[in-house]
Amino acid sequence: MVFNMNFAIVEDLKSDLYHLVSLIRQNCEDRQDEVTFSCYLDAEAFLDEFRAGLFHAVFLDIVLGGATGIDAAWKVREVDERIPVIFITSEIGFSLESYGVHAMDYLLKPVSERAIGWCMERIRESLSAPASIDIRIRSGNGTTSRGTLLLDGLIYIESIRNGLLFHTNEGDVQARMSISDLVALLPDNGRFSECGRGLVVNLSHVLEISERGEISLSCGQQIFCSRRRIKEVKEAWSSWRIRELRKGTVYK
């Protein structure tokens, strides 16, 4: 897949700014992607122009004159909860603060080609993975209507008579479809796992999996993994957790 991306870079040192632009441009040329940049020397100028949908990712220097990159990231999250935010800095001590705004990455200066390569792959993954799925929601009187479910808020799905029951952060939703229909809609990125016949869980919402297959969820509920799938689901959950933790990795 070829991408056409627009990035914002907030960096007050022009030498570091040019270096970062050069690395990203070379990475995109190697992949035959198109990329454009909007560059800012301070957070205030960036925030004056920022709006949801304008950029595909934001690269923020943490130590800026005036508002810091952390401050700017919180403002970004008030407008857009999903846009990838990547911090760039020479100070490793801010890494814990970056987790609070769900930063995709934390790049230590001088930024290396390897670090940019990994970061760009994460950005491409986020752009190619769907944020939601469209289904036909069934109401209490038996009628159906088109609806959109955000994947972030989808906790688990189970088969019921004549369809599926979606358990979400906003409540339960019924749809007339099969598990195989659902699996075809979900992104193939390791986030969702079939833990039993007619049961699919969002690994982002899993808190613990016991040796007996009891799955504790962020909503306070428990579901049960079939005995023959316990090992498979635990491995999938472990892989997903490692992948998510790597979002905060510091590269040297």
Side-chain angles (χ1 to χ4, degrees), residues 23-93:
L23 287 176
I24 296 173
R25 181 174 284 129
Q26 184 60 57
N27 179 276
C28 289
E29 288 178 359
D30 292 343
R31 288 287 303 267
Q32 297 183 317
D33 291 332
E34 297 292 330
V35 63
T36 56
F37 302 94
S38 295
C39 301
Y40 306 88
L41 297 178
D42 58 70
E44 289 79 8
F46 161 67
L47 292 172
D48 283 344
E49 293 189 8
F50 179 77
R51 65 179 186 275
L54 180 60
F55 305 112
H56 294 99
V58 177
F59 292 80
L60 284 167
D61 186 13
I62 290 182
V63 182
L64 297 164
T68 68
I70 299 287
D71 296 331
W74 281 113
K75 294 292 185 182
V76 166
R77 285 288 175 252
E78 291 176 4
V79 178
D80 191 331
E81 295 182 354
R82 299 190 58 82
I83 187 171
V85 172
I86 300 95
F87 286 120
I88 44 177
T89 186
S90 57
E91 300 291 337
I92 197 170

Side-chain angles (χ1 to χ4, degrees), residues 15 26 73 77 116 124 133 143 161 177 188 212 218 244 246 251:
S15 58
Q26 184 60 57
R77 285 288 175 252
I116 280 296
R124 291 182 180 101
I133 56 173
T143 61
R161 183 179 180 183
M177 62 190 302
D188 184 21
R212 298 193 304 170
S218 60
E244 291 301 286
R246 286 188 63 194
Y251 287 92

Side-chain angles (χ1 to χ4, degrees), residues 188-250:
D188 184 21
N189 60 1
R191 187 178 191 181
F192 291 86
S193 179
E194 293 186 68
C195 51
R197 185 174 182 180
L199 187 62
V200 175
V201 66
N202 183 346
L203 297 173
S204 298
H205 288 279
V206 173
L207 302 179
E208 185 179 2
I209 303 177
S210 74
E211 294 299 321
R212 298 193 304 170
E214 298 167 335
I215 302 176
S216 300
L217 300 170
S218 60
C219 61
Q221 291 183 262
Q222 280 192 336
I223 58 176
F224 294 88
C225 183
S226 68
R227 183 173 300 176
R228 65 184 181 87
R229 287 184 177 267
I230 293 175
K231 181 180 178 182
E232 175 187 338
V233 174
K234 290 186 74 170
E235 289 176 350
W237 181 51
S238 177
S239 297
W240 180 256
R241 291 175 68 199
I242 292 171
R243 178 176 174 177
E244 291 301 286
L245 286 171
R246 286 188 63 194
K247 290 181 179 180
T249 298
V250 178

